[in-house]
Amino acid sequence: QVQLVESGGGLVQPGGSMRLSCAASGSISGICAMAWYRQAPGKQRELGAAITSGGSTNYADSVKGRFTISRDNAKNTVYLQMNSLKPEDTAVYYCNSDCRIAPTMIRVVSWGQGTQVTVSS
């Protein structure tokens, strides 16, 4: 089982920066794609950023150029660096893993509990 715990959320001013962390139990090295989703009240959950086990990344158009997803496989941790934050970035941010688990390589999808990010003056 993969357990995900997010941290680093809070209140930040427009134009500011914040880094979210997601710590995963079990190994994510080489077998898990990781992603950050976000959901604002009254809106559907949307993909913000994703990173494959090989390190390839993709971003939603709304965050491209401002957000960076990265992973430290030695620490089983994925990060989301958020720069030039806008009020519309306000949401609950959820860490997601999509893993192939040894030895059978079955697919296991896991979610963190979410962390609130509020961008406001």
Side-chain angles (χ1 to χ4, degrees), residues 24-62:
S25 65
S27 178
I28 61 171
S29 300
I31 60 170
C32 297
M34 306 293 296
W36 288 95
Y37 288 77
R38 65 186 187 180
Q39 186 168 23
K43 290 192 172 183
Q44 296 186 51
R45 182 182 62 188
E46 64 176 1
L47 175 67
I51 184 167
T52 70
S53 61
S56 297
T57 60
N58 65 84
Y59 299 91
D61 288 342
S62 58

Side-chain angles (χ1 to χ4, degrees), residues 36-95:
W36 288 95
Y37 288 77
R38 65 186 187 180
Q39 186 168 23
K43 290 192 172 183
Q44 296 186 51
R45 182 182 62 188
E46 64 176 1
L47 175 67
I51 184 167
T52 70
S53 61
S56 297
T57 60
N58 65 84
Y59 299 91
D61 288 342
S62 58
V63 308
K64 192 174 182 64
R66 300 186 298 118
F67 290 12
T68 302
I69 188 170
S70 61
R71 63 196 299 167
D72 185 337
N73 290 336
K75 296 181 178 180
N76 277 355
T77 301
V78 62
Y79 305 96
L80 186 67
Q81 179 66 47
M82 305 183 292
N83 299 326
S84 301
L85 283 161
K86 305 174 180 179
E88 50 263 47
D89 295 319
T90 296
V92 177
Y93 284 71
Y94 296 93
C95 184

Side-chain angles (χ1 to χ4, degrees), residues 5 68 100:
V5 180
T68 302
R100 297 164 63 195

